[in-house]
Amino acid sequence: MALKCGIVGLPNVGKSTLFNCLSNAKAQSANFPFCTIEPNVGVITVPDERLNKLAELVHPEKIVPTTVEIVDIAGLVKGASKGEGLGNKFLANIRETDAIIHVLRCFDDPNVVHVDGSVDPVRDKEIIDTELQIKDLETVDSRIAKVQKQAQTGGDKQAKQIYEVLVKYKEALEQGKNARTVTFETKDDQKIGRELFLLTNKPVLYVCNVDEASAVTGNAFVGKVQDTVQSEQAEILVVAAKIESEIAELETYEEREMFLSEIGLKESGVNRLIKAAYRLLDLETFLTAGPQEVRAWTYRKGSKAPQCAGVIHTDFEKGFIRAEVIKYDDYIGYGSEAAVKEAGKMNVEGKEYVVQDGDIMHFRFNV
């Protein structure tokens, strides 16, 4: 499941610093490497401590974590929707992503010039929002022009439904609101909305880039951002990119843990960001464990056993018979698959079983 998050932000907000931290393998534990597949694209593993604990019991040949692709999208400027700066290329890059990581500058530093002359993360957010909203409004207006006549004069029920969804989006966008603030009650309307692929409908994670003193508690800038995004289905993460770059330079896991402890953080901002991006996409992980590998597999939250079997191989889903499921805590508690079976803690589940995060799965199939 190839998942892609785009990092966006105005110039000089710390966006590239954050991306460079993500691109350094030392920023995460040794088992979670990073590889660059293009100058501005990285495949980053999702930190999952459960893999290491399972590996201690199973002793596999390798550990395979799950991944998220991060794209460093060039800094946006006013007028991008009209072609300023990278313009349409920037917007096309965002359209290709599943979610947006929006970096906002929430620190004062006279040595780092702000493109608009002063630090104001709410204004910065609105600049990018406006450019994306203008592009979305173009998309909506274009679609309305195609379906309006059918919806208003013909007996085409589907055209009428699409038109009503489009009008709702148009009203919100014209009020300066993002498409993600619009809610629909029926699944059909929600599906129509998703299929429009609007830029401001993508899930978003706002990363407030703060100074070292605000890394744990946040600051007034962060508070303003929190107040502004209350109506959106969005998550906020406080990260000090400068500290993250220092952590990335440390050689050992122990040094990084000591550094984090000294400043009052339990986990690096980079790890928190990757995990938050994973949650943002409504994803969970099931695990497989055997002598060849201990592996994490990505699936959409709420998926049933056959769908998750298909994540491994399409044949597994086509010929699904049953799933043998061990809860992670049971596996760790009993120490082995054999001990779990002996204790009667392994469940046999059918096609209607909804897979839970951390389930250790073994699929039986026949094709």
Side-chain angles (χ1 to χ4, degrees), residues 224-294:
K224 289 179 181 177
V225 174
Q226 288 171 329
D227 291 342
T228 303
V229 305
Q230 277 183 353
S231 64
E232 295 187 42
Q233 297 170 18
E235 189 171 342
I236 291 179
L237 194 68
V238 177
V239 170
K242 191 174 179 182
I243 288 178
E244 295 301 318
S245 60
E246 291 174 17
I247 293 172
E249 293 301 317
L250 297 174
E251 292 295 330
T252 67
Y253 175 79
E254 288 73 22
E255 285 178 311
R256 295 194 291 277
E257 287 295 294
M258 190 179 297
F259 186 101
L260 288 167
S261 178
E262 285 174 2
I263 60 176
L265 290 172
K266 292 180 180 178
E267 189 176 20
S268 75
V270 165
N271 275 14
R272 288 186 289 116
L273 189 152
I274 297 167
K275 289 179 179 178
Y278 197 67
R279 289 195 306 271
L280 187 67
L281 294 167
D282 208 21
L283 303 174
E284 291 182 334
T285 302
F286 72 86
L287 309 168
T288 53
Q292 288 187 322
E293 65 180 25
V294 166

Side-chain angles (χ1 to χ4, degrees), residues 1-22:
M1 188 181 285
L3 301 156
K4 187 184 288 188
C5 294
I7 299 183
V8 304
L10 294 177
N12 296 339
V13 297
K15 179 174 59 68
S16 293
T17 302
L18 196 58
F19 180 82
N20 291 337
C21 292
L22 288 166

Side-chain angles (χ1 to χ4, degrees), residues 306-311 313-321 351 365:
Q307 294 170 287
C308 287
V311 172
H313 197 287
T314 52
D315 284 350
F316 285 26
E317 183 173 4
K318 288 176 188 173
F320 179 88
I321 299 171
K351 291 182 178 180
F365 70 103

Side-chain angles (χ1 to χ4, degrees), residues 66-233:
T66 191
T67 61
V68 173
E69 197 172 287
I70 304 287
V71 186
D72 182 16
I73 296 170
L76 181 68
V77 294
K78 277 182 185 174
S81 57
K82 296 180 176 65
E84 293 294 328
L86 284 179
N88 291 328
K89 186 176 189 306
F90 171 92
L91 297 165
N93 286 340
I94 295 178
R95 199 177 297 281
E96 291 169 6
T97 64
D98 298 296
I100 295 170
I101 298 169
H102 188 160
V103 182
L104 297 167
R105 177 171 169 175
C106 293
F107 65 90
D108 274 315
D109 186 341
N111 297 316
V112 182
V113 177
H114 191 286
V115 69
D116 283 324
S118 62
V119 178
D120 185 344
V122 173
R123 176 202 59 210
D124 295 353
K125 172 191 176 305
E126 288 172 353
I127 288 172
I128 287 187
D129 280 353
T130 299
E131 296 303 325
L132 301 186
Q133 287 163 9
I134 290 169
K135 208 67 185 174
D136 279 349
L137 198 52
E138 286 178 14
T139 300
V140 168
D141 282 340
S142 173
R143 289 296 303 275
I144 284 176
K146 290 176 181 176
V147 302
Q148 187 171 10
K149 191 172 181 181
Q150 290 171 284
Q152 292 178 337
T153 60
D156 190 333
K157 286 185 179 179
Q158 188 178 16
K160 187 173 185 297
Q161 190 175 12
I162 292 170
Y163 175 73
E164 287 170 356
V165 168
L166 288 165
V167 167
K168 202 167 181 181
Y169 277 133
K170 181 177 172 68
E171 289 171 355
L173 291 165
E174 286 179 338
Q175 291 170 23
K177 296 177 181 177
N178 289 319
R180 74 182 71 88
T181 63
V182 178
T183 56
F184 297 102
E185 291 182 8
T186 71
K187 287 187 178 179
D188 284 347
D189 285 352
Q190 291 167 9
K191 184 172 182 287
I192 291 167
R194 282 195 304 272
E195 290 174 351
L196 290 170
F197 299 106
L198 299 178
L199 300 172
T200 65
N201 210 16
K202 292 180 183 292
V204 63
L205 169 67
Y206 292 105
V207 176
C208 294
N209 183 17
V210 300
D211 54 24
E212 184 173 343
S214 309
V216 178
T217 59
N219 56 28
F221 291 130
V222 175
K224 289 179 181 177
V225 174
Q226 288 171 329
D227 291 342
T228 303
V229 305
Q230 277 183 353
S231 64
E232 295 187 42
Q233 297 170 18

